[in-house]
Each structure stands twice: as structure tokens, then as C-alpha cells.
Amino acid sequence: AALQDRIAPNSSESVLDALLKREELMSTGIGLGIGMPHARHEAVDKPIIGIGISPEGIIDYDSIDGNTVQILVMILAGPGQHRMYITLMSQIVKILKSGENRDNIVVSADSPHDVINILKKGF
């Protein structure tokens, strides 16, 4: 489903602003080719995860290790969902720390369904 379908009406711009403000605090490029833009916002009633893959890598992401970012995992949650928000972030990082999982996502996955299955195996 599109992001606009998952958040309160007319909130897309303010959600994007929240993500950008979080990125201004410190890059969410956590290394190993992973970027995890994330924010909490009142327009979100259930956590939302969005995944983007760039096999060639995003050069100017300002990742902590200086490498390009190939896997982006965006996480949005509501203000009262702190525990779920932190749990999702930590589980996804744990899954993506595996070089095999990252390679399977960037190189081998042929569809969004393949990516979801790789992530689901780690939960």
C-alpha cells in the first residue's frame, strides 16, 4: 500500500518533514550498506516499514562507515509505539548484519515478496 494510504489524510508532507528532521540530527546510514530513516509521527496509527534497494548504492548518504547505502529501511511509528518502534529497528538491524541476508536482498531477490521473506526469516 502507498504511504498515503497508511497515514492520516493530508499528513504525507509532515511525515516527510519528520524523517528529514531526524536525518538532520545524524545520518541514519548505520554502515554495512544500510540506511534506516525513521521517525515517530502522530499521523501513524500502526508501524509502517518501507524498503528500498539500490544495487549501485547511494553515494551521498553520509553513512557512518563512509560506504554507499544499498538497502534503505524506513520505519514510521506513532508517538505511543516506542517499544514496537525500537523492537522493529533492532530486529531489522540484527537481520541485516548478516552479509548473506544483505547479499540475498541486493543481489538475489527478484521481487518485493523475496525481500519480505528474507526479512521474515529473521523475526
Side-chain angles (χ1 to χ4, degrees), residues 64-100:
I64 195 167
D65 63 1
N67 291 327
T68 62
V69 168
Q70 294 180 294
I71 302 171
L72 282 171
V73 180
M74 178 201 69
I75 299 175
L76 295 171
Q81 300 166 345
H82 183 71
R83 181 174 289 175
M84 178 60 76
Y85 176 69
I86 297 299
T87 299
L88 283 171
M89 287 195 309
S90 66
Q91 278 296 117
I92 290 169
V93 168
K94 179 181 168 190
I95 294 164
L96 295 179
K97 276 187 175 182
S98 160
E100 180 180 353

PDB file of all heavy atoms in Angstrom, residues 64-100:
ATOM      1  N   ILE A  64      27.786   6.161   8.351  1.00  0.00           N
ATOM      2  CA  ILE A  64      28.778   6.211   9.419  1.00  0.00           C
ATOM      3  C   ILE A  64      30.122   5.587   9.009  1.00  0.00           C
ATOM      4  O   ILE A  64      31.168   6.020   9.456  1.00  0.00           O
ATOM      5  CB  ILE A  64      28.229   5.557  10.704  1.00  0.00           C
ATOM      6  CG1 ILE A  64      29.078   5.908  11.898  1.00  0.00           C
ATOM      7  CG2 ILE A  64      28.088   4.068  10.554  1.00  0.00           C
ATOM      8  CD1 ILE A  64      28.443   5.566  13.225  1.00  0.00           C
ATOM      9  N   ASP A  65      30.086   4.571   8.123  1.00  0.00           N
ATOM     10  CA  ASP A  65      31.335   3.943   7.680  1.00  0.00           C
ATOM     11  C   ASP A  65      31.841   4.503   6.353  1.00  0.00           C
ATOM     12  O   ASP A  65      32.846   4.037   5.813  1.00  0.00           O
ATOM     13  CB  ASP A  65      31.193   2.423   7.605  1.00  0.00           C
ATOM     14  CG  ASP A  65      30.168   1.947   6.584  1.00  0.00           C
ATOM     15  OD1 ASP A  65      29.560   2.789   5.888  1.00  0.00           O
ATOM     16  OD2 ASP A  65      29.956   0.725   6.503  1.00  0.00           O
ATOM     17  N   GLY A  66      31.152   5.511   5.820  1.00  0.00           N
ATOM     18  CA  GLY A  66      31.577   6.150   4.584  1.00  0.00           C
ATOM     19  C   GLY A  66      31.229   5.386   3.323  1.00  0.00           C
ATOM     20  O   GLY A  66      31.517   5.851   2.218  1.00  0.00           O
ATOM     21  N   ASN A  67      30.633   4.221   3.445  1.00  0.00           N
ATOM     22  CA  ASN A  67      30.270   3.419   2.278  1.00  0.00           C
ATOM     23  C   ASN A  67      28.912   3.836   1.721  1.00  0.00           C
ATOM     24  O   ASN A  67      28.130   4.507   2.389  1.00  0.00           O
ATOM     25  CB  ASN A  67      30.243   1.930   2.638  1.00  0.00           C
ATOM     26  CG  ASN A  67      31.621   1.392   2.923  1.00  0.00           C
ATOM     27  OD1 ASN A  67      32.604   1.831   2.342  1.00  0.00           O
ATOM     28  ND2 ASN A  67      31.704   0.442   3.837  1.00  0.00           N
ATOM     29  N   THR A  68      28.649   3.394   0.497  1.00  0.00           N
ATOM     30  CA  THR A  68      27.348   3.665  -0.101  1.00  0.00           C
ATOM     31  C   THR A  68      26.263   2.867   0.628  1.00  0.00           C
ATOM     32  O   THR A  68      26.556   1.885   1.304  1.00  0.00           O
ATOM     33  CB  THR A  68      27.335   3.273  -1.598  1.00  0.00           C
ATOM     34  OG1 THR A  68      27.579   1.883  -1.712  1.00  0.00           O
ATOM     35  CG2 THR A  68      28.359   4.056  -2.380  1.00  0.00           C
ATOM     36  N   VAL A  69      25.040   3.307   0.475  1.00  0.00           N
ATOM     37  CA  VAL A  69      23.896   2.620   1.070  1.00  0.00           C
ATOM     38  C   VAL A  69      23.139   1.906  -0.048  1.00  0.00           C
ATOM     39  O   VAL A  69      22.741   2.520  -1.026  1.00  0.00           O
ATOM     40  CB  VAL A  69      22.977   3.616   1.812  1.00  0.00           C
ATOM     41  CG1 VAL A  69      21.653   2.970   2.183  1.00  0.00           C
ATOM     42  CG2 VAL A  69      23.673   4.142   3.057  1.00  0.00           C
ATOM     43  N   GLN A  70      22.979   0.598   0.112  1.00  0.00           N
ATOM     44  CA  GLN A  70      22.264  -0.203  -0.874  1.00  0.00           C
ATOM     45  C   GLN A  70      20.867  -0.602  -0.403  1.00  0.00           C
ATOM     46  O   GLN A  70      19.995  -0.856  -1.215  1.00  0.00           O
ATOM     47  CB  GLN A  70      23.052  -1.473  -1.197  1.00  0.00           C
ATOM     48  CG  GLN A  70      24.361  -1.192  -1.896  1.00  0.00           C
ATOM     49  CD  GLN A  70      25.099  -2.474  -2.180  1.00  0.00           C
ATOM     50  OE1 GLN A  70      25.519  -3.164  -1.260  1.00  0.00           O
ATOM     51  NE2 GLN A  70      25.231  -2.790  -3.452  1.00  0.00           N
ATOM     52  N   ILE A  71      20.683  -0.693   0.907  1.00  0.00           N
ATOM     53  CA  ILE A  71      19.390  -1.103   1.462  1.00  0.00           C
ATOM     54  C   ILE A  71      18.881   0.007   2.373  1.00  0.00           C
ATOM     55  O   ILE A  71      19.542   0.386   3.342  1.00  0.00           O
ATOM     56  CB  ILE A  71      19.509  -2.411   2.267  1.00  0.00           C
ATOM     57  CG1 ILE A  71      20.063  -3.535   1.396  1.00  0.00           C
ATOM     58  CG2 ILE A  71      18.153  -2.796   2.865  1.00  0.00           C
ATOM     59  CD1 ILE A  71      20.412  -4.801   2.176  1.00  0.00           C
ATOM     60  N   LEU A  72      17.709   0.533   2.042  1.00  0.00           N
ATOM     61  CA  LEU A  72      17.046   1.533   2.879  1.00  0.00           C
ATOM     62  C   LEU A  72      15.832   0.887   3.529  1.00  0.00           C
ATOM     63  O   LEU A  72      15.023   0.258   2.842  1.00  0.00           O
ATOM     64  CB  LEU A  72      16.544   2.703   2.035  1.00  0.00           C
ATOM     65  CG  LEU A  72      17.559   3.727   1.589  1.00  0.00           C
ATOM     66  CD1 LEU A  72      16.931   4.677   0.577  1.00  0.00           C
ATOM     67  CD2 LEU A  72      18.072   4.501   2.775  1.00  0.00           C
ATOM     68  N   VAL A  73      15.738   1.020   4.836  1.00  0.00           N
ATOM     69  CA  VAL A  73      14.568   0.526   5.559  1.00  0.00           C
ATOM     70  C   VAL A  73      14.005   1.697   6.350  1.00  0.00           C
ATOM     71  O   VAL A  73      14.590   2.142   7.322  1.00  0.00           O
ATOM     72  CB  VAL A  73      14.926  -0.647   6.500  1.00  0.00           C
ATOM     73  CG1 VAL A  73      13.684  -1.136   7.224  1.00  0.00           C
ATOM     74  CG2 VAL A  73      15.598  -1.779   5.735  1.00  0.00           C
ATOM     75  N   MET A  74      12.870   2.222   5.887  1.00  0.00           N
ATOM     76  CA  MET A  74      12.207   3.329   6.557  1.00  0.00           C
ATOM     77  C   MET A  74      11.211   2.764   7.570  1.00  0.00           C
ATOM     78  O   MET A  74      10.442   1.857   7.249  1.00  0.00           O
ATOM     79  CB  MET A  74      11.459   4.197   5.553  1.00  0.00           C
ATOM     80  CG  MET A  74      10.708   5.355   6.207  1.00  0.00           C
ATOM     81  SD  MET A  74       9.378   5.999   5.180  1.00  0.00           S
ATOM     82  CE  MET A  74       8.219   4.658   5.199  1.00  0.00           C
ATOM     83  N   ILE A  75      11.257   3.306   8.779  1.00  0.00           N
ATOM     84  CA  ILE A  75      10.328   2.872   9.817  1.00  0.00           C
ATOM     85  C   ILE A  75       9.605   4.105  10.358  1.00  0.00           C
ATOM     86  O   ILE A  75      10.236   5.074  10.772  1.00  0.00           O
ATOM     87  CB  ILE A  75      11.057   2.140  10.956  1.00  0.00           C
ATOM     88  CG1 ILE A  75      11.757   0.899  10.411  1.00  0.00           C
ATOM     89  CG2 ILE A  75      10.081   1.784  12.075  1.00  0.00           C
ATOM     90  CD1 ILE A  75      12.615   0.170  11.423  1.00  0.00           C
ATOM     91  N   LEU A  76       8.281   4.027  10.345  1.00  0.00           N
ATOM     92  CA  LEU A  76       7.444   5.068  10.932  1.00  0.00           C
ATOM     93  C   LEU A  76       6.580   4.440  12.008  1.00  0.00           C
ATOM     94  O   LEU A  76       6.094   3.320  11.842  1.00  0.00           O
ATOM     95  CB  LEU A  76       6.526   5.693   9.874  1.00  0.00           C
ATOM     96  CG  LEU A  76       7.197   6.464   8.753  1.00  0.00           C
ATOM     97  CD1 LEU A  76       6.173   6.817   7.675  1.00  0.00           C
ATOM     98  CD2 LEU A  76       7.853   7.722   9.293  1.00  0.00           C
ATOM     99  N   ALA A  77       6.408   5.155  13.098  1.00  0.00           N
ATOM    100  CA  ALA A  77       5.549   4.673  14.182  1.00  0.00           C
ATOM    101  C   ALA A  77       4.848   5.865  14.803  1.00  0.00           C
ATOM    102  O   ALA A  77       5.268   7.011  14.635  1.00  0.00           O
ATOM    103  CB  ALA A  77       6.371   3.926  15.229  1.00  0.00           C
ATOM    104  N   GLY A  78       3.786   5.573  15.535  1.00  0.00           N
ATOM    105  CA  GLY A  78       3.062   6.617  16.240  1.00  0.00           C
ATOM    106  C   GLY A  78       3.764   6.971  17.538  1.00  0.00           C
ATOM    107  O   GLY A  78       4.629   6.236  18.017  1.00  0.00           O
ATOM    108  N   PRO A  79       3.400   8.080  18.154  1.00  0.00           N
ATOM    109  CA  PRO A  79       4.059   8.541  19.373  1.00  0.00           C
ATOM    110  C   PRO A  79       3.973   7.543  20.535  1.00  0.00           C
ATOM    111  O   PRO A  79       4.892   7.437  21.327  1.00  0.00           O
ATOM    112  CB  PRO A  79       3.334   9.837  19.727  1.00  0.00           C
ATOM    113  CG  PRO A  79       2.540  10.211  18.541  1.00  0.00           C
ATOM    114  CD  PRO A  79       2.365   9.000  17.695  1.00  0.00           C
ATOM    115  N   GLY A  80       2.898   6.776  20.639  1.00  0.00           N
ATOM    116  CA  GLY A  80       2.743   5.833  21.742  1.00  0.00           C
ATOM    117  C   GLY A  80       3.277   4.446  21.439  1.00  0.00           C
ATOM    118  O   GLY A  80       3.000   3.505  22.176  1.00  0.00           O
ATOM    119  N   GLN A  81       4.051   4.305  20.374  1.00  0.00           N
ATOM    120  CA  GLN A  81       4.512   2.989  19.938  1.00  0.00           C
ATOM    121  C   GLN A  81       6.024   2.834  20.089  1.00  0.00           C
ATOM    122  O   GLN A  81       6.673   2.150  19.299  1.00  0.00           O
ATOM    123  CB  GLN A  81       4.086   2.757  18.488  1.00  0.00           C
ATOM    124  CG  GLN A  81       2.596   2.817  18.318  1.00  0.00           C
ATOM    125  CD  GLN A  81       2.169   2.938  16.866  1.00  0.00           C
ATOM    126  OE1 GLN A  81       2.944   3.248  15.987  1.00  0.00           O
ATOM    127  NE2 GLN A  81       0.890   2.695  16.627  1.00  0.00           N
ATOM    128  N   HIS A  82       6.584   3.437  21.107  1.00  0.00           N
ATOM    129  CA  HIS A  82       8.037   3.455  21.290  1.00  0.00           C
ATOM    130  C   HIS A  82       8.628   2.046  21.365  1.00  0.00           C
ATOM    131  O   HIS A  82       9.628   1.750  20.701  1.00  0.00           O
ATOM    132  CB  HIS A  82       8.414   4.257  22.535  1.00  0.00           C
ATOM    133  CG  HIS A  82       9.882   4.375  22.734  1.00  0.00           C
ATOM    134  ND1 HIS A  82      10.663   5.163  21.922  1.00  0.00           N
ATOM    135  CD2 HIS A  82      10.712   3.782  23.615  1.00  0.00           C
ATOM    136  CE1 HIS A  82      11.923   5.056  22.312  1.00  0.00           C
ATOM    137  NE2 HIS A  82      11.974   4.236  23.331  1.00  0.00           N
ATOM    138  N   ARG A  83       8.041   1.180  22.148  1.00  0.00           N
ATOM    139  CA  ARG A  83       8.587  -0.164  22.312  1.00  0.00           C
ATOM    140  C   ARG A  83       8.599  -0.925  20.978  1.00  0.00           C
ATOM    141  O   ARG A  83       9.598  -1.550  20.611  1.00  0.00           O
ATOM    142  CB  ARG A  83       7.803  -0.952  23.351  1.00  0.00           C
ATOM    143  CG  ARG A  83       8.375  -2.350  23.568  1.00  0.00           C
ATOM    144  CD  ARG A  83       7.699  -3.060  24.683  1.00  0.00           C
ATOM    145  NE  ARG A  83       8.117  -2.396  25.921  1.00  0.00           N
ATOM    146  CZ  ARG A  83       7.654  -2.686  27.117  1.00  0.00           C
ATOM    147  NH1 ARG A  83       6.752  -3.623  27.245  1.00  0.00           N
ATOM    148  NH2 ARG A  83       8.071  -2.046  28.169  1.00  0.00           N
ATOM    149  N   MET A  84       7.501  -0.868  20.229  1.00  0.00           N
ATOM    150  CA  MET A  84       7.437  -1.542  18.928  1.00  0.00           C
ATOM    151  C   MET A  84       8.447  -0.935  17.958  1.00  0.00           C
ATOM    152  O   MET A  84       9.121  -1.636  17.210  1.00  0.00           O
ATOM    153  CB  MET A  84       6.027  -1.454  18.351  1.00  0.00           C
ATOM    154  CG  MET A  84       5.884  -2.078  16.978  1.00  0.00           C
ATOM    155  SD  MET A  84       6.270  -3.835  16.902  1.00  0.00           S
ATOM    156  CE  MET A  84       4.800  -4.499  17.634  1.00  0.00           C
ATOM    157  N   TYR A  85       8.564   0.365  17.978  1.00  0.00           N
ATOM    158  CA  TYR A  85       9.491   1.116  17.121  1.00  0.00           C
ATOM    159  C   TYR A  85      10.931   0.649  17.359  1.00  0.00           C
ATOM    160  O   TYR A  85      11.645   0.296  16.417  1.00  0.00           O
ATOM    161  CB  TYR A  85       9.286   2.586  17.480  1.00  0.00           C
ATOM    162  CG  TYR A  85      10.123   3.642  16.858  1.00  0.00           C
ATOM    163  CD1 TYR A  85      10.006   3.968  15.513  1.00  0.00           C
ATOM    164  CD2 TYR A  85      10.989   4.403  17.641  1.00  0.00           C
ATOM    165  CE1 TYR A  85      10.738   5.010  14.970  1.00  0.00           C
ATOM    166  CE2 TYR A  85      11.717   5.443  17.101  1.00  0.00           C
ATOM    167  CZ  TYR A  85      11.585   5.744  15.768  1.00  0.00           C
ATOM    168  OH  TYR A  85      12.296   6.787  15.226  1.00  0.00           O
ATOM    169  N   ILE A  86      11.332   0.593  18.601  1.00  0.00           N
ATOM    170  CA  ILE A  86      12.697   0.160  18.950  1.00  0.00           C
ATOM    171  C   ILE A  86      12.892  -1.312  18.619  1.00  0.00           C
ATOM    172  O   ILE A  86      13.939  -1.713  18.095  1.00  0.00           O
ATOM    173  CB  ILE A  86      12.982   0.430  20.452  1.00  0.00           C
ATOM    174  CG1 ILE A  86      12.923   1.929  20.746  1.00  0.00           C
ATOM    175  CG2 ILE A  86      14.307  -0.172  20.871  1.00  0.00           C
ATOM    176  CD1 ILE A  86      13.915   2.779  19.994  1.00  0.00           C
ATOM    177  N   THR A  87      11.895  -2.132  18.888  1.00  0.00           N
ATOM    178  CA  THR A  87      11.987  -3.563  18.587  1.00  0.00           C
ATOM    179  C   THR A  87      12.142  -3.794  17.092  1.00  0.00           C
ATOM    180  O   THR A  87      12.982  -4.598  16.665  1.00  0.00           O
ATOM    181  CB  THR A  87      10.738  -4.309  19.118  1.00  0.00           C
ATOM    182  OG1 THR A  87      10.680  -4.135  20.534  1.00  0.00           O
ATOM    183  CG2 THR A  87      10.790  -5.787  18.787  1.00  0.00           C
ATOM    184  N   LEU A  88      11.342  -3.113  16.290  1.00  0.00           N
ATOM    185  CA  LEU A  88      11.454  -3.253  14.833  1.00  0.00           C
ATOM    186  C   LEU A  88      12.844  -2.861  14.349  1.00  0.00           C
ATOM    187  O   LEU A  88      13.474  -3.582  13.567  1.00  0.00           O
ATOM    188  CB  LEU A  88      10.409  -2.392  14.120  1.00  0.00           C
ATOM    189  CG  LEU A  88       8.990  -2.907  14.104  1.00  0.00           C
ATOM    190  CD1 LEU A  88       8.040  -1.835  13.560  1.00  0.00           C
ATOM    191  CD2 LEU A  88       8.890  -4.173  13.267  1.00  0.00           C
ATOM    192  N   MET A  89      13.342  -1.728  14.810  1.00  0.00           N
ATOM    193  CA  MET A  89      14.663  -1.277  14.378  1.00  0.00           C
ATOM    194  C   MET A  89      15.741  -2.280  14.764  1.00  0.00           C
ATOM    195  O   MET A  89      16.586  -2.641  13.938  1.00  0.00           O
ATOM    196  CB  MET A  89      14.981   0.108  14.945  1.00  0.00           C
ATOM    197  CG  MET A  89      14.193   1.197  14.276  1.00  0.00           C
ATOM    198  SD  MET A  89      14.771   2.889  14.558  1.00  0.00           S
ATOM    199  CE  MET A  89      14.931   2.989  16.299  1.00  0.00           C
ATOM    200  N   SER A  90      15.706  -2.759  15.992  1.00  0.00           N
ATOM    201  CA  SER A  90      16.758  -3.677  16.426  1.00  0.00           C
ATOM    202  C   SER A  90      16.680  -5.021  15.698  1.00  0.00           C
ATOM    203  O   SER A  90      17.710  -5.592  15.332  1.00  0.00           O
ATOM    204  CB  SER A  90      16.736  -3.869  17.943  1.00  0.00           C
ATOM    205  OG  SER A  90      15.574  -4.520  18.358  1.00  0.00           O
ATOM    206  N   GLN A  91      15.483  -5.529  15.456  1.00  0.00           N
ATOM    207  CA  GLN A  91      15.334  -6.798  14.735  1.00  0.00           C
ATOM    208  C   GLN A  91      15.822  -6.683  13.295  1.00  0.00           C
ATOM    209  O   GLN A  91      16.486  -7.577  12.785  1.00  0.00           O
ATOM    210  CB  GLN A  91      13.881  -7.270  14.737  1.00  0.00           C
ATOM    211  CG  GLN A  91      13.464  -7.985  15.992  1.00  0.00           C
ATOM    212  CD  GLN A  91      14.237  -9.282  16.174  1.00  0.00           C
ATOM    213  OE1 GLN A  91      14.964  -9.417  17.148  1.00  0.00           O
ATOM    214  NE2 GLN A  91      14.112 -10.212  15.267  1.00  0.00           N
ATOM    215  N   ILE A  92      15.488  -5.578  12.663  1.00  0.00           N
ATOM    216  CA  ILE A  92      15.905  -5.388  11.273  1.00  0.00           C
ATOM    217  C   ILE A  92      17.422  -5.251  11.186  1.00  0.00           C
ATOM    218  O   ILE A  92      18.055  -5.844  10.306  1.00  0.00           O
ATOM    219  CB  ILE A  92      15.162  -4.195  10.635  1.00  0.00           C
ATOM    220  CG1 ILE A  92      13.684  -4.583  10.447  1.00  0.00           C
ATOM    221  CG2 ILE A  92      15.798  -3.797   9.309  1.00  0.00           C
ATOM    222  CD1 ILE A  92      12.774  -3.454  10.082  1.00  0.00           C
ATOM    223  N   VAL A  93      18.013  -4.513  12.105  1.00  0.00           N
ATOM    224  CA  VAL A  93      19.478  -4.405  12.120  1.00  0.00           C
ATOM    225  C   VAL A  93      20.106  -5.774  12.334  1.00  0.00           C
ATOM    226  O   VAL A  93      21.062  -6.150  11.644  1.00  0.00           O
ATOM    227  CB  VAL A  93      19.954  -3.404  13.197  1.00  0.00           C
ATOM    228  CG1 VAL A  93      21.451  -3.509  13.415  1.00  0.00           C
ATOM    229  CG2 VAL A  93      19.570  -1.983  12.806  1.00  0.00           C
ATOM    230  N   LYS A  94      19.563  -6.542  13.248  1.00  0.00           N
ATOM    231  CA  LYS A  94      20.083  -7.888  13.511  1.00  0.00           C
ATOM    232  C   LYS A  94      20.041  -8.746  12.241  1.00  0.00           C
ATOM    233  O   LYS A  94      21.012  -9.426  11.905  1.00  0.00           O
ATOM    234  CB  LYS A  94      19.259  -8.552  14.616  1.00  0.00           C
ATOM    235  CG  LYS A  94      19.679  -9.940  14.970  1.00  0.00           C
ATOM    236  CD  LYS A  94      18.778 -10.499  16.063  1.00  0.00           C
ATOM    237  CE  LYS A  94      18.992 -11.987  16.219  1.00  0.00           C
ATOM    238  NZ  LYS A  94      18.005 -12.593  17.081  1.00  0.00           N
ATOM    239  N   ILE A  95      18.945  -8.692  11.520  1.00  0.00           N
ATOM    240  CA  ILE A  95      18.792  -9.471  10.284  1.00  0.00           C
ATOM    241  C   ILE A  95      19.782  -8.991   9.229  1.00  0.00           C
ATOM    242  O   ILE A  95      20.435  -9.794   8.550  1.00  0.00           O
ATOM    243  CB  ILE A  95      17.343  -9.370   9.767  1.00  0.00           C
ATOM    244  CG1 ILE A  95      16.378 -10.054  10.738  1.00  0.00           C
ATOM    245  CG2 ILE A  95      17.223  -9.974   8.361  1.00  0.00           C
ATOM    246  CD1 ILE A  95      14.922  -9.678  10.524  1.00  0.00           C
ATOM    247  N   LEU A  96      19.920  -7.673   9.090  1.00  0.00           N
ATOM    248  CA  LEU A  96      20.754  -7.121   8.036  1.00  0.00           C
ATOM    249  C   LEU A  96      22.239  -7.118   8.367  1.00  0.00           C
ATOM    250  O   LEU A  96      23.063  -6.860   7.485  1.00  0.00           O
ATOM    251  CB  LEU A  96      20.275  -5.712   7.669  1.00  0.00           C
ATOM    252  CG  LEU A  96      18.882  -5.647   7.045  1.00  0.00           C
ATOM    253  CD1 LEU A  96      18.501  -4.198   6.755  1.00  0.00           C
ATOM    254  CD2 LEU A  96      18.801  -6.493   5.778  1.00  0.00           C
ATOM    255  N   LYS A  97      22.615  -7.415   9.597  1.00  0.00           N
ATOM    256  CA  LYS A  97      24.032  -7.560   9.925  1.00  0.00           C
ATOM    257  C   LYS A  97      24.639  -8.753   9.201  1.00  0.00           C
ATOM    258  O   LYS A  97      25.833  -8.794   8.955  1.00  0.00           O
ATOM    259  CB  LYS A  97      24.233  -7.720  11.436  1.00  0.00           C
ATOM    260  CG  LYS A  97      24.272  -6.418  12.173  1.00  0.00           C
ATOM    261  CD  LYS A  97      24.648  -6.665  13.620  1.00  0.00           C
ATOM    262  CE  LYS A  97      24.824  -5.373  14.354  1.00  0.00           C
ATOM    263  NZ  LYS A  97      25.241  -5.614  15.743  1.00  0.00           N
ATOM    264  N   SER A  98      23.804  -9.699   8.857  1.00  0.00           N
ATOM    265  CA  SER A  98      24.266 -10.884   8.129  1.00  0.00           C
ATOM    266  C   SER A  98      24.574 -10.504   6.680  1.00  0.00           C
ATOM    267  O   SER A  98      23.693 -10.063   5.940  1.00  0.00           O
ATOM    268  CB  SER A  98      23.178 -11.967   8.158  1.00  0.00           C
ATOM    269  OG  SER A  98      23.389 -12.904   7.120  1.00  0.00           O
ATOM    270  N   GLY A  99      25.827 -10.696   6.287  1.00  0.00           N
ATOM    271  CA  GLY A  99      26.216 -10.434   4.909  1.00  0.00           C
ATOM    272  C   GLY A  99      25.426 -11.283   3.928  1.00  0.00           C
ATOM    273  O   GLY A  99      25.084 -10.828   2.834  1.00  0.00           O
ATOM    274  N   GLU A 100      25.111 -12.496   4.332  1.00  0.00           N
ATOM    275  CA  GLU A 100      24.319 -13.369   3.471  1.00  0.00           C
ATOM    276  C   GLU A 100      22.935 -12.784   3.226  1.00  0.00           C
ATOM    277  O   GLU A 100      22.441 -12.763   2.093  1.00  0.00           O
ATOM    278  CB  GLU A 100      24.200 -14.765   4.092  1.00  0.00           C
ATOM    279  CG  GLU A 100      23.401 -15.735   3.256  1.00  0.00           C
ATOM    280  CD  GLU A 100      23.285 -17.117   3.892  1.00  0.00           C
ATOM    281  OE1 GLU A 100      23.928 -17.383   4.924  1.00  0.00           O
ATOM    282  OE2 GLU A 100      22.518 -17.926   3.341  1.00  0.00           O
TER     283      GLU A 100
END
